[in-house]
Amino acid sequence: FPTTTTNYTVTYTSANGCSATDDVKVTVQCNQPPVAVCQAVTVSANANCQGNATATAFNGGSTDADAGDVLSYSVSPAGPYAIGVTNVSLTVTDSKGASSTCNTTVTVVDNTAPVLNVPANIAANTDANVCGATVTYTAPVGTDNCAVTTVQTAGLASGSVFPVGTTTNTFKATDASGNSTTSSFNVVVTDNQSPVLVGVLANTTVQCN
């Protein structure tokens, strides 16, 4: 209700009949609650795969008809928020304690790509009697602020016999939001084995008559 002012005339009469008149102005001031206006918020996931947003971030232009009122904001739930969309309520309160509420959402998105460290390039010589080399390495494991899966997309697994030449081993780490990182290393196998002749006749002496 708006502020209203009413003028009254008051007459005072004593017991002996004397009287006096005075004008009185009565002002009735009614506090109006604020009008809560919400806006949706989108935030990036942090290192814990969650998102945070202040209550004021959800304010989309709340107003108060009473001049001089200071507005404060609170949001429920207050977060942190999980990946995806969460429904929240914003409460707007004026300095006289009146409040109103509106509803909106907070969306947490994961924009952080995984980290994938692969071994340095590996050089090896061929094994004896094998046209290749048995090579072992530590398989890369991706790390991420959210869940991550690492797969090998090219090359040979650790402990395999790698052929002579260069074999490129490629790994890809992908998190739950589809962000990915790809990295590779090479295994270079050199054939340093000398050939062995087989089936050659031993030295023979021939006597001519």
Side-chain angles (χ1 to χ4, degrees):
F1 298 94
T3 299
T4 59
T5 300
T6 304
N7 294 316
Y8 297 91
T9 298
V10 181
T11 300
Y12 304 93
T13 302
S14 66
N16 60 7
C18 296
S19 64
T21 301
D22 196 6
D23 292 328
V24 177
K25 181 168 65 175
V26 177
T27 300
V28 178
Q29 188 174 38
C30 297
N31 181 50
Q32 301 180 77
V35 177
V37 179
C38 284
Q39 66 179 357
V41 173
T42 299
V43 295
S44 296
N46 57 23
N48 296 320
C49 198
Q50 296 176 318
N52 288 291
T54 62
T56 54
F58 296 97
N59 176 36
S62 302
T63 59
D64 193 299
D66 300 312
D69 276 0
V70 177
L71 301 182
S72 60
Y73 308 92
S74 61
V75 64
S76 178
Y81 307 102
I83 291 287
V85 180
T86 301
N87 295 318
V88 298
S89 296
L90 175 69
T91 299
V92 182
T93 305
D94 67 18
S95 50
K96 298 180 180 68
S99 64
S100 63
T101 301
C102 57
N103 299 315
T104 186
T105 60
V106 54
T107 302
V108 180
V109 294
D110 176 22
N111 297 315
T112 303
V115 175
L116 181 60
N117 296 315
V118 299
N121 292 338
I122 299 173
N125 294 322
T126 53
D127 300 336
N129 302 320
V130 178
C131 190
T134 302
V135 176
T136 59
Y137 59 85
T138 301
V141 176
T143 58
D144 190 66
N145 59 329
C146 299
V148 62
T149 301
T150 303
V151 296
Q152 185 172 14
T153 61
L156 297 174
S158 177
S160 301
V161 176
F162 285 72
V164 172
T166 300
T167 300
T168 299
N169 277 21
T170 302
F171 290 81
K172 183 178 183 179
T174 305
D175 66 19
S177 297
N179 302 304
S180 63
T181 299
T182 301
S183 191
S184 304
F185 68 97
N186 293 327
V187 175
V188 181
V189 178
T190 302
D191 180 8
N192 68 340
Q193 303 290 325
S194 299
V196 177
L197 294 176
V198 295
V200 177
L201 293 175
N203 292 337
T204 303
T205 301
V206 179
Q207 183 69 44
C208 295
N209 294 324

